[in-house]
């Protein structure tokens, strides 16, 4: 039974007098709709020893209420905050009355008794709060109701929680929403499933968009055990923590301290992970053939762990200086970073290859807490031909598509090629020196992107 169907049944049972035509319309709809402490910037992306290096909890976004504790940052294996957590104030015209309104997401637990939901709805109506959508999450005791609300602009989060609490709601959580939240849950889940089916790198992002602000850790198989034994094949749900068997082995752990997971959310997350496991390793087929200034052609395509041997061969052709500038550590350790860097669980990688298939450049877009890192390596013989700039522009375009607010690069002041490539983006840049290491951050707000000189290469990773 879908969430909308649950909602119809819940209304029919608990809200006496709901018009039959309204219930029928909702039933028809049911039938048709059917994760900020930064990872140190001098790590060189060495493989983590025990997990992905995901961030500890960060300050919450504009959530409040009895159920809103400290928020959580994003793990290193996932993407950045999306619309639900970096939402604007949600203000919109409320239908011609000339009064500002605000969109809110709200969860509250109500007693599973007749009239409990009716009392809550009546209390919201008294404050001119419009219920745009409702999902129900049945529990062993009580029901978690999730609302999308349009409320008068002057109504604060605290006042909204007070209204709900007075009407019998408990453990209430609120968060500003925006137009993205107007998409119903079944449609949103289907869209996330389609993205996951196309690209293995989408799984962490899909989980993030499905579950909101959370911390995701990918534990390797050797570290997959936990007190009480390994995670069962079907996964486990423990209040604010859910654990699932990772498709490549090991365990995916998702933590959301500010809001307990419901069984319905657990089932959706498990379904996405099972889909990823069934489809196996996969990358979008899109690629670009580019002609460099001196006339050579290169192909730019997505890469993953299947390209590790070719990447190691490129390392062998690179000078110690080039490897040292890229990995910020002992050159002899460079090869052991590649499995981590090329894993779709930690970001996306673009490869530049010659007509013979030799990889001569790698660009990485790496999910790093609330920020996103970009990193480049171009073989010595192919430097200063524009390859790094081409890779970087496409990586930044990918970051913009996932609603990243900024990207940063860690390099040395003497690395003039990386500095020039960042400047070539045409984006606002911030420069910081941290113990001799140069950190360049590019802002990706809408106005900056509109004026930027990003290559039209977004289709790599989408076709």
């Amino acid at each position: 039974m879908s969430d909308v169907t649950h909602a119809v049944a819940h209304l029919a049972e608990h809200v006496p007098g709901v018009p039959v035509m309204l219930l029928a319309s909702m039933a028809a709809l049911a039938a048709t709709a059917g994760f900020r402490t930064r990872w140190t910037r001098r790590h060189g992306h060495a493989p983590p020893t025990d997990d992905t290096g995901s961030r500890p909890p960060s300050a919450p976004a504009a959530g409040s209420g009895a159920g809103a504790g400290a928020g959580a940052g994003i793990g290193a294996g996932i993407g950045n905050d999306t619309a639900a957590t970096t939402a604007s104030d949600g203000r919109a015209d409320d239908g011609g009355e000339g009064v500002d309104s605000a969109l809110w997401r709200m969860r509250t637990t109500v007693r599973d008794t007749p009239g409990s939901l009716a009392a809550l709805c009546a209390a919201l109506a008294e404050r001119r709060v419009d219920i745009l959508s409702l999902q129900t999450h049945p529990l062993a005791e009580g029901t978690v109701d999730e609302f999308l609300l349009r409320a008068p602009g002057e109504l604060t989060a605290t006042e909204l929680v007070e209204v709900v609490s007075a009407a019998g709601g408990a453990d209430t959580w609120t968060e500003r929403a925006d137009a993205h939240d107007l998409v119903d849950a079944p449609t949103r889940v289907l869209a996330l499933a389609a993205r996951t089916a196309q690209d293995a790198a989408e799984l962490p992002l899909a989980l993030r968009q499905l579950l909101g602000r959370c911390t995701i850790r990918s534990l390797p198989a050797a570290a997959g055990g936990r007190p009480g034994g390994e995670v069962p094949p079907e996964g486990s749900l423990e209040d604010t923590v859910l654990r699932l068997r990772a498709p490549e082995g090991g365990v995916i752990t998702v933590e959301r301290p500010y809001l307990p997971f419901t069984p319905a959310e657990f089932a959706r997350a498990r379904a996405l992970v099972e889909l990823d496991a069934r489809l196996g390793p996969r990358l979008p087929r899109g690629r670009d053939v580019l002609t460099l200034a001196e006339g050579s052609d290169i192909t730019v395509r997505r890469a993953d762990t299947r390209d590790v041997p070719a990447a190691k061969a490129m390392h062998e052709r690179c000078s110690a200086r080039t490897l040292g500038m890229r990995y910020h550590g002992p050159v002899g350790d460079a090869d052991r970073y590649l499995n981590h860097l090329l894993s779709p669980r930690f970001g996306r990688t673009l490869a530049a290859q010659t007509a013979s298939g030799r990889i001569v450049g790698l660009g990485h877009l790496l999910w790093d807490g609330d920020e996103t890192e970009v990193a480049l390596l171009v073989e010595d013989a192919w430097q200063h031909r524009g390859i790094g700039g081409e890779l970087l522009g496409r990586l930044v375009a990918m970051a913009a598509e996932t609603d990243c607010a900024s990207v940063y690069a860690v390099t040395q002041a003497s690395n003039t090629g990386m500095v020039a490539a960042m400047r070539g983006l045409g984006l606002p840049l911030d420069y910081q020196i941290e113990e001799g290491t140069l950190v360049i951050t590019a802002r990706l707000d809408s106005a900056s992107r509109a004026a930027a000189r990003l290559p039209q290469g977004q289709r790599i990773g989408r076709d």
Side-chain angles (χ1 to χ4, degrees):
M1 183 181 294
S2 72
D3 291 310
V4 180
T5 307
H6 277 299
V8 174
H10 197 64
L11 282 171
E13 180 180 0
H14 298 302
V15 188
V18 174
V20 173
M21 289 300 295
L22 175 59
L23 293 175
S25 298
M26 293 180 69
L29 175 61
T32 56
F35 190 135
R36 150 169 164 160
T37 299
R38 178 183 302 167
W39 193 6
T40 173
R41 284 171 158 167
R42 289 165 296 281
H43 53 63
H45 279 282
T49 57
D50 54 355
D51 62 25
T52 65
S54 55
R55 305 287 73 72
S58 64
S64 63
I74 311 172
I78 62 177
N80 289 4
D81 284 358
T82 51
T85 57
T86 58
S88 64
D89 64 2
R91 294 181 183 275
D93 184 74
D94 76 344
E97 296 183 6
V99 179
D100 282 346
S101 63
L103 294 175
W104 292 92
R105 290 176 57 218
M106 183 184 77
R107 280 193 185 190
T108 191
T109 302
V110 300
R111 291 176 292 114
D112 194 12
T113 57
S116 59
L117 182 57
L120 177 56
C121 293
L124 291 171
E126 288 181 1
R127 297 300 300 268
R128 298 189 297 115
V129 177
D130 187 15
I131 300 174
L132 303 179
S133 69
L134 168 65
Q135 292 186 66
T136 62
H137 300 255
L139 305 176
E141 296 181 4
T143 301
V144 173
D145 288 329
E146 181 172 356
F147 298 87
L148 180 62
L149 307 172
R150 179 180 286 117
E154 69 271 12
L155 189 66
T156 68
T158 300
E159 292 171 333
L160 183 57
V161 172
E162 290 173 350
V163 170
V164 172
S165 298
D171 299 325
T172 302
W173 167 85
T174 62
E175 183 176 64
R176 284 293 179 96
D178 70 3
H180 294 83
D181 295 295
L182 293 171
V183 178
D184 65 282
T187 301
R188 185 170 67 251
V189 172
L190 285 171
L192 293 175
R195 288 173 49 185
T196 302
Q198 184 181 24
D199 187 349
E202 289 287 339
L203 178 61
L205 295 170
L207 288 173
R208 173 64 182 80
Q209 294 189 23
L210 177 68
L211 302 172
R213 287 180 288 124
C214 55
T215 299
I216 298 180
R217 296 185 178 92
S218 295
L219 305 179
R226 61 184 179 91
E230 294 184 353
V231 175
E234 67 275 11
S236 67
L237 170 59
E238 301 170 0
D239 196 32
T240 61
V241 179
L242 56 86
R243 295 179 175 87
L244 298 164
R245 292 271 186 97
E248 69 278 8
V251 174
I252 297 174
T253 300
V254 188
E255 300 181 36
R256 192 176 64 185
Y258 74 98
L259 188 65
F261 295 109
T262 67
E265 289 177 310
F266 175 59
R268 294 168 186 168
R270 184 173 60 191
L272 277 178
V273 174
E274 289 176 352
L275 173 65
D276 184 89
R278 286 179 176 272
L279 294 175
R282 62 206 178 279
L283 285 177
R285 294 187 298 272
R287 56 184 63 206
D288 276 345
V289 178
L290 306 175
T291 300
L292 303 179
E294 82 282 3
S296 301
D297 288 341
I298 62 166
T299 297
V300 179
R301 62 172 177 83
R302 287 283 301 278
D304 63 8
T305 52
R306 291 171 290 185
D307 293 291
V308 167
K312 287 183 177 180
M314 185 184 73
H315 278 180
E316 294 176 359
R317 298 190 299 269
C318 289
S319 67
R321 181 179 182 274
T322 292
L323 293 177
M325 282 190 172
R326 166 61 187 91
Y327 294 109
H328 316 290
V331 173
D333 291 340
D335 285 357
R336 72 185 184 91
Y337 300 157
L338 289 173
N339 280 307
H340 179 76
L341 289 168
L342 292 169
S343 170
R345 297 293 175 256
F346 305 108
R348 299 175 181 173
T349 297
L350 292 179
Q353 67 180 39
T354 64
S356 64
R358 173 183 290 186
I359 291 180
V360 296
L362 288 172
H364 306 285
L365 184 70
L366 299 159
W367 314 133
D368 183 15
D370 291 334
E371 298 173 336
T372 302
E373 182 177 359
V374 288
L376 298 173
L377 177 65
V378 178
E379 184 179 326
D380 294 65
W382 289 83
Q383 293 176 6
H384 309 298
R385 302 190 190 186
I387 295 175
E390 291 286 349
L391 293 175
L392 182 61
R394 284 164 172 76
L395 294 172
V396 173
M398 289 179 178
E401 289 180 345
T402 60
D403 294 324
C404 293
S406 64
V407 298
Y408 72 88
V410 182
T411 187
Q412 301 172 16
S414 59
N415 190 349
T416 56
M418 188 65 183
V419 175
M422 291 293 287
R423 287 177 176 170
L425 294 171
L427 293 167
L429 301 178
D430 296 324
Y431 300 84
Q432 289 180 300
I433 298 291
E434 298 184 4
E435 298 180 6
T437 298
L438 176 62
V439 180
I440 310 174
T441 302
R443 299 196 301 275
L444 299 180
D445 56 82
S446 299
S448 298
R449 292 201 303 268
R453 298 184 293 274
L454 301 181
Q456 299 300 312
Q458 296 95 319
R459 68 179 181 275
I460 297 178
R462 296 183 64 183
D463 292 348

